[in-house]
Amino acid sequence: MIRTFFRHVLESIKSLRRNGWMTVSSISAVAITLTLLGIFLTIILNTVKLAEDMENNVEVSVFISYGTTKEEQDELEKNLKAIPHVASVEFSSQDDELDRVKESYGDVWGLFEQDNPLLDVFILQAEEPQYVKSITEEAKKYKKVVHKATYGEDLSDKIFNIAEGVRTWGLIGSGLLLFVAMFLISNTIRITILSREREIQIMRLVGAKNGYIRWPFFLEGGWIGLLGAILPIGLIIFGYPEVYRVLNPVLLRSNYSLLQPGQFMIQISAILAVLGILIGSLGSVISMRRFLKV
């Protein structure tokens, strides 16, 4: 049985060499497909990671009304800390807020140093992201001293919707790419089968079983898929660390980050290799069933 298996392996390799240009064409199609798929997966996973970071970094800003006395402000802070699921309450003066705005939008805001239009604000952190909305609603109840309470819900909801869209359409696009690759490999194996139809007929006449005939084509499809995965795996291994090196420091300034290379690249590479082998082998099986009728 082991000797037969290795014979099938050698036969599949010889078939790859015999069908040189068709093999190169199929490997190229798989390589392009898996490269696009690898890029899609990388974008999808990092988009989900950024969405989670954003969700975990959402703060509730409670702006204090003009004319609020120190005693009223202290009372408000006490009440805010008493709201269920509030992890911390931090005070930021109008001068602190102006410094933050200047850091984000430039020194042009320095013109307002003498007449600062911003409000003092309490910044609340929730124990869990799902409590942010309820905390905001509770803070709004102190209307006498609270000018506005917000967690940037409009922007947050838009970003979460974009992330969900990227994830959904990315998976759909990935599925279509896999289907195209399988179709191309299926056609390549079909041509190989047709070119060896006489040989297959002879094998059947001398009593070869269906499984014995199928195995070399099945392995050939697997080889095509595996070889086609080499290029996208290389791009992930050597390309992603560079993207991470350039973009991650920028994102860290806002407390966000990309997925770290290393374990992430190993997982993506393994996924691409397995998918390459699967779509190659399945493409071969489809061809055998539809066109050989053995």
Side-chain angles (χ1 to χ4, degrees), residues 37-75:
L37 180 61
I39 294 172
F40 274 170
L41 286 175
T42 302
I43 292 174
I44 291 168
L45 292 174
N46 275 290
T47 301
V48 172
K49 171 68 164 57
L50 291 173
E52 289 175 352
D53 287 347
M54 183 167 294
E55 188 178 40
N56 292 327
N57 285 319
V58 169
E59 300 171 334
V60 178
S61 298
V62 180
F63 295 92
I64 304 171
S65 300
Y66 285 116
T68 301
T69 65
K70 183 68 168 64
E71 290 75 15
E72 289 174 329
Q73 182 176 304
D74 291 342
E75 182 67 19

Side-chain angles (χ1 to χ4, degrees), residues 30-271:
V30 175
I32 293 171
T33 302
L34 291 182
T35 297
L36 294 173
L37 180 61
I39 294 172
F40 274 170
L41 286 175
T42 302
I43 292 174
I44 291 168
L45 292 174
N46 275 290
T47 301
V48 172
K49 171 68 164 57
L50 291 173
E52 289 175 352
D53 287 347
M54 183 167 294
E55 188 178 40
N56 292 327
N57 285 319
V58 169
E59 300 171 334
V60 178
S61 298
V62 180
F63 295 92
I64 304 171
S65 300
Y66 285 116
T68 301
T69 65
K70 183 68 168 64
E71 290 75 15
E72 289 174 329
Q73 182 176 304
D74 291 342
E75 182 67 19
L76 174 62
E77 182 177 6
K78 180 180 176 181
N79 291 330
L80 293 176
K81 288 181 177 178
I83 295 176
H85 308 299
V86 170
S88 66
V89 177
E90 178 186 348
F91 176 74
S92 178
S93 69
Q94 60 180 169
D95 292 333
D96 294 333
E97 289 298 293
L98 183 60
D99 289 338
R100 289 173 61 180
V101 172
K102 285 165 61 178
E103 184 178 345
S104 300
Y105 299 102
D107 290 335
V108 65
W109 275 82
L111 299 172
F112 295 97
E113 287 183 351
Q114 300 301 321
D115 188 18
N116 191 341
L118 302 178
L119 296 170
D120 295 332
V121 59
F122 282 116
I123 300 173
L124 282 59
Q125 293 284 351
E127 293 175 352
E128 297 291 340
Q130 64 264 30
Y131 300 129
V132 168
K133 189 171 183 179
S134 63
I135 291 173
T136 303
E137 294 303 317
E138 286 294 319
K140 287 180 180 179
K141 293 180 179 179
Y142 302 99
K143 296 179 180 179
K144 181 180 177 182
V145 290
V146 173
H147 173 74
K148 182 174 66 172
T150 179
Y151 62 93
E153 51 268 29
D154 292 339
L155 178 60
S156 299
D157 291 342
K158 285 180 181 178
I159 291 173
F160 294 147
N161 288 336
I162 290 172
E164 184 64 28
V166 169
R167 182 164 52 226
T168 301
W169 289 105
L171 290 174
I172 293 173
S174 300
L176 290 174
L177 286 172
L178 289 175
F179 176 79
V180 170
M182 195 182 303
F183 176 77
L184 291 171
I185 292 174
S186 175
N187 279 344
T188 302
I189 300 294
R190 177 196 176 194
I191 294 172
T192 303
I193 292 170
L194 292 175
S195 66
R196 295 169 60 187
E197 187 174 6
R198 181 185 175 111
E199 177 186 342
I200 293 170
Q201 288 176 350
I202 293 173
M203 292 171 66
R204 296 185 68 185
L205 287 173
V206 298
K209 294 182 179 180
N210 291 343
Y212 185 90
I213 298 173
R214 287 191 181 103
W215 261 104
F217 297 103
F218 180 81
L219 292 172
E220 186 177 340
W223 284 120
I224 290 173
L226 181 60
L227 292 172
I230 292 175
L231 175 62
I233 288 174
L235 288 175
I236 292 293
I237 290 175
F238 295 105
Y240 183 74
E242 287 301 307
V243 174
Y244 181 87
R245 182 181 62 82
V246 173
L247 293 183
N248 205 58
V250 178
L251 293 170
L252 282 174
R253 297 172 192 165
S254 302
N255 294 322
Y256 306 133
S257 65
L258 297 175
L259 291 168
Q260 291 185 355
Q263 186 67 23
F264 167 71
M265 294 189 302
I266 294 173
Q267 292 171 344
I268 290 290
S269 299
I271 289 172

